[in-house]
Every structure is written in C-alpha cells, then in structure tokens.
Amino acid sequence: NSYKFKLGVKGSKEYGFLVPLEYRDNLPIEVNRIFYIYNVPRNRKRGAHAYKNTKQVLICISGSIKISCFDGKNKTEYELNSPDQALYMSPNIWRETYNHSSNAVVLVLSSLEYDENDYIRDYDEFMEVIKCI
Ligand code: TYD
C-alpha cells in the first residue's frame, strides 16, 4: 500500500522550522539507508520499479514532485510539495516520480540496504509477482 502523511513541525516563522523523524513516533519504518535525488530534468521520469521487500518513505525537502503508485489494481497519484509531507510505500508498489521542479530535492528513507536483487525493474515481471500475493 501507499499513503501520504503529514509530519509534525517544530518552530515558528520567527525561529525557523524543524521536522523530527523518529521510528514508531511518526516514522513507520526502521531506516537502514538514506539517499536523495536532485537536479532531475522536468521531463524526466524516474523510478519505474518496485521492491520485493524494501519499504520507503519519501520526503520532498525542497521543491515539488509527483509520484504515481500502482499496486497492481489501483494507481494513485501523489504530489509532494512541502517538507512537512511524507509518502509511505510498502513493498510491491510500482512507482514512478515525475514533474520534478528544478529545485526539487527528494529524501528517501529505506528500510533495507541497497540490493539490486530486491528490485523488480520489469513491468511484466511485476504484474506476474503481484498476481501471486
Ligand atoms: P535507481 O534506484 O534505479 O534510481 P531511480 O529509481 O531514481 O531511477 O538507482 C540509480 C542508480 O544508483 C542505480 O545504478 C543503482 C544506484 N544506487 C545505489 O548504488 N545505491 C542506492 O541506494 C540506490 C537507491 C541506487
């Protein structure tokens, strides 16, 4: 499954803002890996894959992006355009990111370390895999 959720923000306009992410409090995954994506051309799509086991939380800490999430039955389109928004994605979600604004920086929190064997990069394979779930 996938869902967007709001992060609690500390601070004020006068002092500036801070967003804490803490497992079990507001972070639904235990994080073992962090990466970020930036300077993606506006007309470029990224992603186009699913993971067998990895859970992720995406936060667009600057700018905006769109993400489509397909679970094999339903496709949901999300927009992340504020650093107080996050998107959770379970395993077996075919996702694509697009419409990256020129200043977009996407922070990705991952439950598992990088493992190419955890990727499903072939759409037909994805459709086969989710039939069996
Ligand atoms: P990829 O996950 O395919 O990016 P996207 O889904 O945004 O198109 O990763 C791009 C490249 O970076 C690919 O060669 C694998 C490598 N990579 C790592 O080495 N470590 C990582 O944690 C990630 C996410 C990717």
Side-chain angles (χ1 to χ4, degrees), residues 45-51 67-68 93-98 119-123 126:
K45 274 192 182 174
R46 294 192 60 125
H49 58 69
Y51 296 104
I67 306 118
S68 73
I93 296 291
W94 187 267
R95 82 283 304 275
E96 290 181 1
T97 67
Y98 56 101
Y119 280 78
I120 305 170
R121 292 193 183 271
D122 183 78
Y123 188 75
F126 170 71

PDB file of all heavy atoms in Angstrom, residues 45-51 67-68 93-98 119-123 126:
ATOM      1  N   LYS A  45      11.293  11.012 -16.166  1.00  0.00           N
ATOM      2  CA  LYS A  45      10.636  10.127 -15.196  1.00  0.00           C
ATOM      3  C   LYS A  45      11.694   9.265 -14.547  1.00  0.00           C
ATOM      4  O   LYS A  45      12.586   8.768 -15.226  1.00  0.00           O
ATOM      5  CB  LYS A  45       9.633   9.213 -15.901  1.00  0.00           C
ATOM      6  CG  LYS A  45       8.275   9.811 -16.082  1.00  0.00           C
ATOM      7  CD  LYS A  45       7.275   8.739 -16.517  1.00  0.00           C
ATOM      8  CE  LYS A  45       5.916   9.365 -16.742  1.00  0.00           C
ATOM      9  NZ  LYS A  45       4.951   8.423 -17.293  1.00  0.00           N
ATOM     10  N   ARG A  46      11.583   9.092 -13.246  1.00  0.00           N
ATOM     11  CA  ARG A  46      12.497   8.171 -12.558  1.00  0.00           C
ATOM     12  C   ARG A  46      11.681   7.094 -11.858  1.00  0.00           C
ATOM     13  O   ARG A  46      10.465   7.169 -11.791  1.00  0.00           O
ATOM     14  CB  ARG A  46      13.356   8.919 -11.541  1.00  0.00           C
ATOM     15  CG  ARG A  46      14.310   9.910 -12.189  1.00  0.00           C
ATOM     16  CD  ARG A  46      15.321  10.387 -11.193  1.00  0.00           C
ATOM     17  NE  ARG A  46      16.121   9.298 -10.648  1.00  0.00           N
ATOM     18  CZ  ARG A  46      17.436   9.258 -10.674  1.00  0.00           C
ATOM     19  NH1 ARG A  46      18.117  10.226 -11.244  1.00  0.00           N
ATOM     20  NH2 ARG A  46      18.087   8.237 -10.132  1.00  0.00           N
ATOM     21  N   GLY A  47      12.402   6.149 -11.286  1.00  0.00           N
ATOM     22  CA  GLY A  47      11.693   5.073 -10.610  1.00  0.00           C
ATOM     23  C   GLY A  47      11.394   3.983 -11.609  1.00  0.00           C
ATOM     24  O   GLY A  47      12.312   3.376 -12.153  1.00  0.00           O
ATOM     25  N   ALA A  48      10.106   3.785 -11.888  1.00  0.00           N
ATOM     26  CA  ALA A  48       9.679   2.707 -12.787  1.00  0.00           C
ATOM     27  C   ALA A  48      10.248   1.375 -12.317  1.00  0.00           C
ATOM     28  O   ALA A  48      10.964   0.686 -13.043  1.00  0.00           O
ATOM     29  CB  ALA A  48      10.045   3.009 -14.231  1.00  0.00           C
ATOM     30  N   HIS A  49       9.979   1.086 -11.069  1.00  0.00           N
ATOM     31  CA  HIS A  49      10.348  -0.208 -10.495  1.00  0.00           C
ATOM     32  C   HIS A  49       9.570  -0.417  -9.203  1.00  0.00           C
ATOM     33  O   HIS A  49       8.936   0.513  -8.687  1.00  0.00           O
ATOM     34  CB  HIS A  49      11.863  -0.280 -10.228  1.00  0.00           C
ATOM     35  CG  HIS A  49      12.391   0.776  -9.319  1.00  0.00           C
ATOM     36  ND1 HIS A  49      12.110   0.829  -7.984  1.00  0.00           N
ATOM     37  CD2 HIS A  49      13.177   1.847  -9.567  1.00  0.00           C
ATOM     38  CE1 HIS A  49      12.711   1.865  -7.447  1.00  0.00           C
ATOM     39  NE2 HIS A  49      13.361   2.527  -8.393  1.00  0.00           N
ATOM     40  N   ALA A  50       9.626  -1.645  -8.710  1.00  0.00           N
ATOM     41  CA  ALA A  50       9.060  -1.974  -7.397  1.00  0.00           C
ATOM     42  C   ALA A  50      10.153  -2.666  -6.602  1.00  0.00           C
ATOM     43  O   ALA A  50      11.200  -3.021  -7.149  1.00  0.00           O
ATOM     44  CB  ALA A  50       7.849  -2.887  -7.559  1.00  0.00           C
ATOM     45  N   TYR A  51       9.914  -2.807  -5.313  1.00  0.00           N
ATOM     46  CA  TYR A  51      10.835  -3.577  -4.477  1.00  0.00           C
ATOM     47  C   TYR A  51      10.107  -4.791  -3.929  1.00  0.00           C
ATOM     48  O   TYR A  51       8.913  -4.737  -3.642  1.00  0.00           O
ATOM     49  CB  TYR A  51      11.336  -2.739  -3.294  1.00  0.00           C
ATOM     50  CG  TYR A  51      12.158  -1.547  -3.680  1.00  0.00           C
ATOM     51  CD1 TYR A  51      11.614  -0.272  -3.634  1.00  0.00           C
ATOM     52  CD2 TYR A  51      13.478  -1.696  -4.095  1.00  0.00           C
ATOM     53  CE1 TYR A  51      12.359   0.835  -3.988  1.00  0.00           C
ATOM     54  CE2 TYR A  51      14.235  -0.593  -4.444  1.00  0.00           C
ATOM     55  CZ  TYR A  51      13.674   0.671  -4.391  1.00  0.00           C
ATOM     56  OH  TYR A  51      14.412   1.767  -4.749  1.00  0.00           O
ATOM     57  N   ILE A  67       4.355  11.624  -7.814  1.00  0.00           N
ATOM     58  CA  ILE A  67       4.686  10.204  -7.729  1.00  0.00           C
ATOM     59  C   ILE A  67       3.435   9.419  -8.059  1.00  0.00           C
ATOM     60  O   ILE A  67       2.360   9.719  -7.527  1.00  0.00           O
ATOM     61  CB  ILE A  67       5.140   9.810  -6.297  1.00  0.00           C
ATOM     62  CG1 ILE A  67       6.281  10.700  -5.834  1.00  0.00           C
ATOM     63  CG2 ILE A  67       5.578   8.350  -6.238  1.00  0.00           C
ATOM     64  CD1 ILE A  67       5.931  11.498  -4.627  1.00  0.00           C
ATOM     65  N   SER A  68       3.567   8.434  -8.923  1.00  0.00           N
ATOM     66  CA  SER A  68       2.440   7.523  -9.120  1.00  0.00           C
ATOM     67  C   SER A  68       2.786   6.177  -8.498  1.00  0.00           C
ATOM     68  O   SER A  68       3.914   5.692  -8.614  1.00  0.00           O
ATOM     69  CB  SER A  68       2.099   7.376 -10.601  1.00  0.00           C
ATOM     70  OG  SER A  68       3.064   6.603 -11.251  1.00  0.00           O
ATOM     71  N   ILE A  93       5.043  -2.086  -4.751  1.00  0.00           N
ATOM     72  CA  ILE A  93       4.373  -0.922  -5.332  1.00  0.00           C
ATOM     73  C   ILE A  93       5.213  -0.463  -6.521  1.00  0.00           C
ATOM     74  O   ILE A  93       6.394  -0.135  -6.365  1.00  0.00           O
ATOM     75  CB  ILE A  93       4.265   0.239  -4.316  1.00  0.00           C
ATOM     76  CG1 ILE A  93       3.393  -0.145  -3.118  1.00  0.00           C
ATOM     77  CG2 ILE A  93       3.727   1.507  -4.999  1.00  0.00           C
ATOM     78  CD1 ILE A  93       1.925  -0.311  -3.414  1.00  0.00           C
ATOM     79  N   TRP A  94       4.608  -0.463  -7.695  1.00  0.00           N
ATOM     80  CA  TRP A  94       5.299   0.058  -8.882  1.00  0.00           C
ATOM     81  C   TRP A  94       5.207   1.579  -8.827  1.00  0.00           C
ATOM     82  O   TRP A  94       4.117   2.146  -8.833  1.00  0.00           O
ATOM     83  CB  TRP A  94       4.636  -0.480 -10.154  1.00  0.00           C
ATOM     84  CG  TRP A  94       5.405  -0.122 -11.393  1.00  0.00           C
ATOM     85  CD1 TRP A  94       5.208   0.972 -12.174  1.00  0.00           C
ATOM     86  CD2 TRP A  94       6.489  -0.857 -11.966  1.00  0.00           C
ATOM     87  NE1 TRP A  94       6.121   0.971 -13.202  1.00  0.00           N
ATOM     88  CE2 TRP A  94       6.909  -0.142 -13.101  1.00  0.00           C
ATOM     89  CE3 TRP A  94       7.153  -2.040 -11.623  1.00  0.00           C
ATOM     90  CZ2 TRP A  94       7.964  -0.578 -13.907  1.00  0.00           C
ATOM     91  CZ3 TRP A  94       8.201  -2.479 -12.426  1.00  0.00           C
ATOM     92  CH2 TRP A  94       8.595  -1.752 -13.553  1.00  0.00           C
ATOM     93  N   ARG A  95       6.344   2.258  -8.721  1.00  0.00           N
ATOM     94  CA  ARG A  95       6.330   3.710  -8.543  1.00  0.00           C
ATOM     95  C   ARG A  95       7.143   4.429  -9.613  1.00  0.00           C
ATOM     96  O   ARG A  95       8.141   3.909 -10.110  1.00  0.00           O
ATOM     97  CB  ARG A  95       6.849   4.097  -7.163  1.00  0.00           C
ATOM     98  CG  ARG A  95       8.363   4.165  -6.950  1.00  0.00           C
ATOM     99  CD  ARG A  95       9.017   2.836  -6.809  1.00  0.00           C
ATOM    100  NE  ARG A  95       8.471   2.021  -5.746  1.00  0.00           N
ATOM    101  CZ  ARG A  95       8.866   2.105  -4.472  1.00  0.00           C
ATOM    102  NH1 ARG A  95       9.837   2.914  -4.143  1.00  0.00           N
ATOM    103  NH2 ARG A  95       8.333   1.319  -3.573  1.00  0.00           N
ATOM    104  N   GLU A  96       6.655   5.612  -9.946  1.00  0.00           N
ATOM    105  CA  GLU A  96       7.381   6.497 -10.857  1.00  0.00           C
ATOM    106  C   GLU A  96       7.334   7.897 -10.277  1.00  0.00           C
ATOM    107  O   GLU A  96       6.302   8.311  -9.760  1.00  0.00           O
ATOM    108  CB  GLU A  96       6.728   6.492 -12.241  1.00  0.00           C
ATOM    109  CG  GLU A  96       6.921   5.190 -12.977  1.00  0.00           C
ATOM    110  CD  GLU A  96       6.280   5.183 -14.368  1.00  0.00           C
ATOM    111  OE1 GLU A  96       5.703   6.200 -14.785  1.00  0.00           O
ATOM    112  OE2 GLU A  96       6.352   4.132 -15.015  1.00  0.00           O
ATOM    113  N   THR A  97       8.444   8.604 -10.358  1.00  0.00           N
ATOM    114  CA  THR A  97       8.424  10.007  -9.968  1.00  0.00           C
ATOM    115  C   THR A  97       8.575  10.844 -11.236  1.00  0.00           C
ATOM    116  O   THR A  97       9.267  10.453 -12.172  1.00  0.00           O
ATOM    117  CB  THR A  97       9.544  10.359  -8.967  1.00  0.00           C
ATOM    118  OG1 THR A  97      10.819  10.238  -9.606  1.00  0.00           O
ATOM    119  CG2 THR A  97       9.508   9.451  -7.747  1.00  0.00           C
ATOM    120  N   TYR A  98       7.888  11.982 -11.269  1.00  0.00           N
ATOM    121  CA  TYR A  98       7.918  12.836 -12.454  1.00  0.00           C
ATOM    122  C   TYR A  98       7.614  14.275 -12.034  1.00  0.00           C
ATOM    123  O   TYR A  98       7.359  14.543 -10.848  1.00  0.00           O
ATOM    124  CB  TYR A  98       6.929  12.326 -13.517  1.00  0.00           C
ATOM    125  CG  TYR A  98       5.499  12.183 -13.042  1.00  0.00           C
ATOM    126  CD1 TYR A  98       4.535  13.153 -13.340  1.00  0.00           C
ATOM    127  CD2 TYR A  98       5.109  11.078 -12.281  1.00  0.00           C
ATOM    128  CE1 TYR A  98       3.235  13.026 -12.897  1.00  0.00           C
ATOM    129  CE2 TYR A  98       3.800  10.952 -11.828  1.00  0.00           C
ATOM    130  CZ  TYR A  98       2.872  11.930 -12.145  1.00  0.00           C
ATOM    131  OH  TYR A  98       1.576  11.801 -11.696  1.00  0.00           O
ATOM    132  N   TYR A 119      15.081  -5.349  -6.402  1.00  0.00           N
ATOM    133  CA  TYR A 119      14.325  -4.562  -7.386  1.00  0.00           C
ATOM    134  C   TYR A 119      13.525  -5.472  -8.306  1.00  0.00           C
ATOM    135  O   TYR A 119      13.990  -6.539  -8.708  1.00  0.00           O
ATOM    136  CB  TYR A 119      15.274  -3.783  -8.291  1.00  0.00           C
ATOM    137  CG  TYR A 119      15.846  -2.501  -7.736  1.00  0.00           C
ATOM    138  CD1 TYR A 119      16.898  -2.507  -6.834  1.00  0.00           C
ATOM    139  CD2 TYR A 119      15.370  -1.266  -8.168  1.00  0.00           C
ATOM    140  CE1 TYR A 119      17.452  -1.326  -6.366  1.00  0.00           C
ATOM    141  CE2 TYR A 119      15.916  -0.081  -7.701  1.00  0.00           C
ATOM    142  CZ  TYR A 119      16.956  -0.121  -6.804  1.00  0.00           C
ATOM    143  OH  TYR A 119      17.493   1.052  -6.358  1.00  0.00           O
ATOM    144  N   ILE A 120      12.333  -5.020  -8.665  1.00  0.00           N
ATOM    145  CA  ILE A 120      11.634  -5.561  -9.835  1.00  0.00           C
ATOM    146  C   ILE A 120      11.615  -4.415 -10.842  1.00  0.00           C
ATOM    147  O   ILE A 120      10.911  -3.426 -10.641  1.00  0.00           O
ATOM    148  CB  ILE A 120      10.197  -6.006  -9.505  1.00  0.00           C
ATOM    149  CG1 ILE A 120      10.196  -6.997  -8.340  1.00  0.00           C
ATOM    150  CG2 ILE A 120       9.534  -6.616 -10.735  1.00  0.00           C
ATOM    151  CD1 ILE A 120       8.804  -7.308  -7.789  1.00  0.00           C
ATOM    152  N   ARG A 121      12.428  -4.539 -11.887  1.00  0.00           N
ATOM    153  CA  ARG A 121      12.546  -3.444 -12.853  1.00  0.00           C
ATOM    154  C   ARG A 121      11.751  -3.707 -14.125  1.00  0.00           C
ATOM    155  O   ARG A 121      11.628  -2.836 -14.976  1.00  0.00           O
ATOM    156  CB  ARG A 121      14.016  -3.215 -13.219  1.00  0.00           C
ATOM    157  CG  ARG A 121      14.847  -2.664 -12.059  1.00  0.00           C
ATOM    158  CD  ARG A 121      16.178  -2.159 -12.574  1.00  0.00           C
ATOM    159  NE  ARG A 121      17.054  -1.674 -11.515  1.00  0.00           N
ATOM    160  CZ  ARG A 121      17.077  -0.423 -11.068  1.00  0.00           C
ATOM    161  NH1 ARG A 121      16.240   0.479 -11.552  1.00  0.00           N
ATOM    162  NH2 ARG A 121      17.926  -0.073 -10.123  1.00  0.00           N
ATOM    163  N   ASP A 122      11.227  -4.923 -14.226  1.00  0.00           N
ATOM    164  CA  ASP A 122      10.478  -5.303 -15.416  1.00  0.00           C
ATOM    165  C   ASP A 122       8.984  -5.299 -15.090  1.00  0.00           C
ATOM    166  O   ASP A 122       8.544  -5.991 -14.170  1.00  0.00           O
ATOM    167  CB  ASP A 122      10.935  -6.702 -15.877  1.00  0.00           C
ATOM    168  CG  ASP A 122      10.251  -7.118 -17.153  1.00  0.00           C
ATOM    169  OD1 ASP A 122      10.659  -6.642 -18.218  1.00  0.00           O
ATOM    170  OD2 ASP A 122       9.264  -7.891 -17.065  1.00  0.00           O
ATOM    171  N   TYR A 123       8.233  -4.495 -15.833  1.00  0.00           N
ATOM    172  CA  TYR A 123       6.817  -4.314 -15.520  1.00  0.00           C
ATOM    173  C   TYR A 123       6.025  -5.613 -15.632  1.00  0.00           C
ATOM    174  O   TYR A 123       5.169  -5.904 -14.791  1.00  0.00           O
ATOM    175  CB  TYR A 123       6.208  -3.245 -16.431  1.00  0.00           C
ATOM    176  CG  TYR A 123       4.806  -2.864 -16.046  1.00  0.00           C
ATOM    177  CD1 TYR A 123       4.553  -2.064 -14.940  1.00  0.00           C
ATOM    178  CD2 TYR A 123       3.713  -3.326 -16.787  1.00  0.00           C
ATOM    179  CE1 TYR A 123       3.264  -1.725 -14.570  1.00  0.00           C
ATOM    180  CE2 TYR A 123       2.415  -2.985 -16.429  1.00  0.00           C
ATOM    181  CZ  TYR A 123       2.197  -2.186 -15.322  1.00  0.00           C
ATOM    182  OH  TYR A 123       0.914  -1.854 -14.966  1.00  0.00           O
ATOM    183  N   PHE A 126       6.640  -7.622 -12.646  1.00  0.00           N
ATOM    184  CA  PHE A 126       5.866  -7.066 -11.525  1.00  0.00           C
ATOM    185  C   PHE A 126       4.433  -7.586 -11.550  1.00  0.00           C
ATOM    186  O   PHE A 126       3.890  -8.032 -10.538  1.00  0.00           O
ATOM    187  CB  PHE A 126       5.893  -5.536 -11.579  1.00  0.00           C
ATOM    188  CG  PHE A 126       4.949  -4.879 -10.618  1.00  0.00           C
ATOM    189  CD1 PHE A 126       5.181  -4.904  -9.253  1.00  0.00           C
ATOM    190  CD2 PHE A 126       3.807  -4.230 -11.074  1.00  0.00           C
ATOM    191  CE1 PHE A 126       4.301  -4.300  -8.357  1.00  0.00           C
ATOM    192  CE2 PHE A 126       2.926  -3.619 -10.199  1.00  0.00           C
ATOM    193  CZ  PHE A 126       3.170  -3.662  -8.839  1.00  0.00           C
TER     194      PHE A 126
END
